[in-house]
Amino acid sequence: MKDTGFSAADILLPGKGIEMEKWAVVACDQYTSEREYWEEADNFVGTSPSTLRMILPECYLEDSDKEERIRKADETMHHYLESGVFIEYPDSFILVKRDTESGTRYGLVGKLDLEKYDYSPSSLSPIRATEGTIISRIPPRKEIRKNAILEIPHIMVLISDEKRSVIEPIAEKQGKLEKVYDSPLMLGGGHIEGYLVSDEDDKAIIYNALENIEQKLDPENPLLYAMGDGNHSLASAKSLWEDVKTTLSEEERGNHPLRYALCEIENIFDSGLMFEPIHRSFFDITEEKFLEILSHHAEHIEKNNAGSIEEAISAINSEKQSFILINGNDISLIKTSGTEKEMPAWTIQSVIDEMLEKKEGRVDYIHGIDSVMKLAENGALGIILPDISKETFFASILRDKAFPRKTFSIGHANEKRYYVEARKIRM
């Protein structure tokens, strides 16, 4: 079978007696402006084994104790390995069934070949970024991976499988597969189940189906895997691999653990896979200054009061080049024209770039309208962006290369991938 870049891995899972609800923690790039979430998670976990002790939530990235947190995470990895917390399932996939508010979705955990991934804007590689990669965000994440003995991924990668030939045939067999975990997820994360996929015939179904999809792609532009979430984590893994492989022989590069990254692939046509726009909150900047900067990137701006958030959301999803501006309790509909690109996220990104260049305020990327409105009540300026169509998602990437960074997410913040599986990346 042809190597399509996604394969079975030696997967580590917590053994018997480990409380999965305390073990599994939401992706580290969630709730970056809501430390209370991570404090609540910390209190909930207590002294129980947890992936929380092996990651660095991004809300702490700028803190002075960042290096100490990374050191403790590395120590915890060693401790968990040495104390028998993990059970290893060699050369396997994990079928993941995730129940969220948006519905039930399925995915497969395995490893991606970083040699088939290029996160540059002009990339034509089989594995590709779907949003702009911010190079400055790679070093701190690379620092976390640099000395880690394990990887614990929150990376979700999309495939365009309209015939439902890769994941769905395995999901139909879940009753015959060994269930390796089954648990509610903490703090409103829904429910998760995992099933071991180690039978050679089942793995062949996956490999053959992926090969069939690949054969139908344009060989000059063969987009097989599009990043759904965790692109900067994957980019950091890629960057570290590029550093390490220069020290290796050709033979050593062939199957070195750092050449791969554990992830979950999901079918974009899964009915339980819901795309959510990622919104923006601006801090330390007035509405007047925001609109002034916006005027540098749009020939015409129309601002109207919105009757309600529901009416405003309906409007931006039916009218081009529009977004919602929230200032305190005031909700406004902003329509623009004469912008460089049609997508509002690109226009807002131009505002962000100018704002940061002039050091006039700061920005955070927010999952969930309620969170944006809550921050606006406390002095932030909120921007609500329209939905992204998953039906045209792959075609958009093929045409335009990438969306602006953090344009979309898969579901709400509590529907993001939770850390469960791990893999050794150093011996």
Side-chain angles (χ1 to χ4, degrees):
M1 289 176 290
K2 185 179 177 182
D3 176 18
T4 62
F6 182 70
S7 60
D10 298 336
I11 296 175
L12 297 169
L13 288 172
K16 293 180 179 179
I18 304 299
E19 294 181 75
M20 182 61 75
E21 190 173 0
K22 294 185 177 182
W23 173 264
V25 178
V26 77
C28 66
D29 58 350
Q30 303 305 297
Y31 303 103
T32 52
S33 293
E34 300 169 73
R35 289 197 178 205
E36 60 269 21
Y37 176 93
W38 292 102
E39 291 166 359
E40 187 175 354
D42 181 70
N43 290 331
F44 179 75
V45 167
T47 59
S48 298
S50 176
T51 56
L52 181 61
R53 308 308 179 200
M54 297 185 286
I55 66 166
L56 176 60
E58 292 194 2
C59 69
Y60 303 122
L61 269 180
E62 303 301 322
D63 288 9
S64 59
D65 65 345
K66 180 186 72 174
E67 287 76 13
E68 176 65 12
R69 287 179 179 272
I70 294 174
R71 185 188 65 78
K72 286 183 177 180
D74 290 342
E75 288 181 354
T76 300
M77 292 178 188
H78 283 276
H79 172 65
Y80 285 177
L81 278 172
E82 293 166 0
S83 61
V85 166
F86 289 106
I87 294 176
E88 185 172 70
Y89 297 87
D91 194 28
S92 299
F93 295 105
I94 301 295
L95 173 71
V96 178
K97 179 185 178 184
R98 178 76 182 275
D99 296 315
T100 71
E101 295 174 0
S102 299
T104 298
R105 68 179 193 242
Y106 286 90
L108 281 173
V109 175
K111 67 180 190 293
L112 279 178
D113 186 351
L114 296 172
E115 285 292 302
K116 294 180 179 288
Y117 169 56
D118 178 4
Y119 54 78
S120 68
S122 59
S123 172
L124 296 175
S125 61
I127 308 168
R128 208 173 303 177
T130 52
E131 298 177 331
T133 303
I134 308 302
I135 303 303
S136 63
R137 296 188 65 198
I138 293 178
R141 291 155 183 80
K142 191 174 172 181
E143 189 70 20
I144 294 168
R145 189 179 177 90
K146 184 175 69 174
N147 296 314
I149 193 171
L150 300 177
E151 62 174 355
I152 309 101
H154 72 265
I155 300 166
M156 295 172 64
V157 180
L158 304 173
I159 58 173
S160 182
D161 181 19
E162 192 167 6
K163 293 184 177 179
R164 294 168 172 80
S165 61
V166 179
I167 301 170
E168 288 79 0
I170 306 302
E172 290 174 2
K173 292 186 171 189
Q174 69 184 59
K176 299 179 181 179
L177 301 175
E178 178 186 349
K179 185 182 288 186
V180 287
Y181 55 77
D182 183 350
S183 176
L185 293 169
M186 70 167 73
L187 303 181
H191 192 277
I192 194 167
E193 297 174 22
Y195 298 85
L196 181 66
V197 183
S198 58
D199 180 80
E200 293 302 321
D201 290 341
D202 290 340
K203 289 189 287 185
I205 291 173
I206 297 166
Y207 292 135
N208 287 330
L210 286 170
E211 185 175 344
N212 287 337
I213 295 173
E214 185 183 52
Q215 288 175 346
K216 296 175 183 177
L217 300 178
D218 178 357
E220 300 299 320
N221 194 4
L223 175 60
L224 182 55
Y225 307 101
M227 294 304 302
D229 191 35
N231 180 61
H232 286 89
S233 293
L234 193 65
S236 301
K238 170 70 171 181
S239 180
L240 181 61
W241 167 239
E242 291 298 320
D243 292 346
V244 170
K245 78 177 187 180
T246 62
T247 68
L248 304 173
S249 67
E250 196 65 34
E251 183 179 355
E252 289 172 326
R253 294 177 186 180
N255 203 34
H256 194 281
L258 286 173
R259 174 173 170 163
Y260 302 91
L262 205 63
C263 71
E264 179 181 343
I265 65 167
E266 296 188 353
N267 184 7
I268 199 168
F269 291 100
D270 189 318
S271 61
L273 187 68
M274 304 300 292
F275 277 25
E276 296 285 341
I278 300 178
H279 309 296
R280 279 79 170 125
S281 285
F282 292 90
F283 303 87
D284 306 323
I285 189 170
T286 64
E287 178 179 329
E288 291 71 24
K289 175 57 70 172
F290 170 82
L291 292 173
E292 177 189 328
I293 297 176
L294 178 63
S295 71
H296 301 162
H297 304 280
E299 293 179 3
H300 179 72
I301 300 170
E302 180 182 338
K303 178 176 180 283
N304 296 300
N305 291 331
S308 68
I309 189 66
E310 291 78 16
E311 291 178 17
I313 291 170
S314 177
I316 64 172
N317 284 324
S318 60
E319 299 183 31
K320 294 181 178 180
Q321 294 180 266
S322 62
F323 60 90
I324 300 169
L325 174 67
I326 304 177
N327 187 2
N329 293 316
D330 294 332
I331 302 172
S332 302
L333 180 64
I334 306 293
K335 300 179 184 179
T336 63
S337 60
T339 56
E340 183 177 351
K341 296 184 179 181
E342 187 175 281
M343 183 181 290
W346 277 115
T347 305
I348 297 299
Q349 187 59 48
S350 297
V351 172
I352 293 170
D353 292 342
E354 180 178 339
M355 183 186 79
L356 296 181
E357 182 182 354
K358 293 180 176 179
K359 298 182 179 179
E360 294 178 335
R362 57 190 177 88
V363 65
D364 197 3
Y365 299 85
I366 308 298
H367 299 262
I369 292 172
D370 289 345
S371 294
V372 176
M373 297 184 73
K374 180 180 177 182
L375 290 167
E377 290 174 359
N378 292 300
L381 200 63
I383 301 295
I384 304 296
L385 292 170
D387 294 340
I388 297 290
S389 170
K390 71 176 185 177
E391 285 74 16
T392 60
F393 186 86
F394 271 70
S396 296
I397 301 301
L398 288 170
R399 183 185 65 246
D400 300 329
K401 303 301 184 198
F403 297 114
R405 67 176 295 239
K406 287 190 174 291
T407 300
F408 71 94
S409 71
I410 298 174
H412 300 295
N414 62 357
E415 297 178 350
K416 306 294 279 188
R417 189 167 209 284
Y418 274 56
Y419 299 106
V420 178
E421 297 84 0
R423 183 178 72 95
K424 292 180 185 177
I425 55 176
R426 287 181 177 80
M427 304 308 292

